[in-house]
Amino acid sequence: MEIRIKDSSLQQAAAEGMDAFVDVFVEAINAAIGNQLTTETMAELNSDQITLLAYHTLRDEVMDGGFVQLIHNGYGPFIFKNPFAKAIKQWGLRDLSKLIYNAHTLYIKYGPEIERDCTDEEFMALFEQFEEFDEMDDAFVENEEDWTNMVAVYIDDHIGNFATIEQ
């Protein structure tokens, strides 16, 4: 699937900063798949596009509610049962890759408990019940800006893997 981004949109986003630059690509990919990441739409994307969507999902979920929220909201398989950690390591994000591998160990151990349906009160209790994720959450928050910058640099260096830029 060919993703197209207007050069003017890209220039504006780049002027706004790394987050906006990354978001232009995420939004264009999501628009191309109708904001529905399914087995069928994933088959239409290349590995870099899927990795970018995974990073964006990871970033949004962990920055909002940590790995417990990411797992509870059903994104555990997308992050931990796919070669995401390997892909971002190849992008140069070695420390993030290590963090994902460490979180994967806890996902295997606690995933089914965290993923189960529960009330809001029970959900909030999960954060206390699974404090082992706290250090990983903190590490992600502390490094998120650097990692997002590294993702932006990777995109910029491999722009054709993500989209066709049009005048």
Side-chain angles (χ1 to χ4, degrees):
M1 168 177 299
E2 190 167 8
I3 311 296
R4 297 183 177 278
I5 298 174
K6 293 232 175 270
D7 186 53
S8 58
S9 299
L10 192 58
Q11 297 303 323
Q12 180 182 347
E16 292 174 22
M18 294 295 183
D19 286 341
F21 179 80
V22 169
D23 287 347
V24 165
F25 289 90
V26 171
E27 289 166 11
I29 294 166
N30 276 326
I33 60 172
N35 291 311
Q36 297 293 319
L37 189 62
T38 63
T39 305
E40 293 78 25
T41 59
M42 280 179 69
E44 297 178 29
L45 301 174
N46 67 41
S47 60
D48 276 345
Q49 293 165 334
I50 295 167
T51 300
L52 177 58
L53 293 182
Y55 176 76
H56 189 263
T57 299
L58 173 76
R59 184 183 76 184
D60 285 357
E61 291 292 319
V62 175
M63 292 299 287
D64 188 49
F67 281 97
V68 168
Q69 177 177 304
L70 172 97
I71 294 166
H72 181 75
N73 285 344
Y75 296 111
F78 185 43
I79 300 300
F80 301 117
K81 292 186 177 180
N82 285 305
F84 174 68
K86 181 180 178 182
I88 57 173
K89 183 178 180 182
Q90 292 172 339
W91 284 16
L93 287 92
R94 293 186 187 286
D95 290 341
L96 178 56
S97 179
K98 288 178 191 172
L99 181 67
I100 298 302
Y101 282 121
N102 290 338
H104 179 259
T105 301
L106 295 180
Y107 170 71
I108 296 300
K109 187 174 181 180
Y110 301 123
E113 274 183 87
I114 297 171
E115 290 171 337
R116 69 177 170 73
D117 286 338
C118 59
T119 65
D120 287 345
E121 190 175 294
E122 291 169 328
F123 171 69
M124 295 310 292
L126 292 175
F127 293 97
E128 291 178 28
Q129 188 176 351
F130 300 105
E131 291 178 343
E132 290 174 73
F133 286 101
D134 288 354
E135 285 183 30
M136 292 176 201
D137 294 343
D138 292 346
F140 189 90
V141 170
E142 290 167 14
N143 292 288
E144 180 274 332
E145 187 175 329
D146 289 338
W147 289 335
T148 298
N149 286 340
M150 293 171 78
V151 167
V153 168
Y154 182 86
I155 293 169
D156 196 38
D157 289 347
H158 303 88
I159 210 156
N161 293 358
F162 295 92
T164 299
I165 310 304
E166 301 178 322
Q167 291 304 321

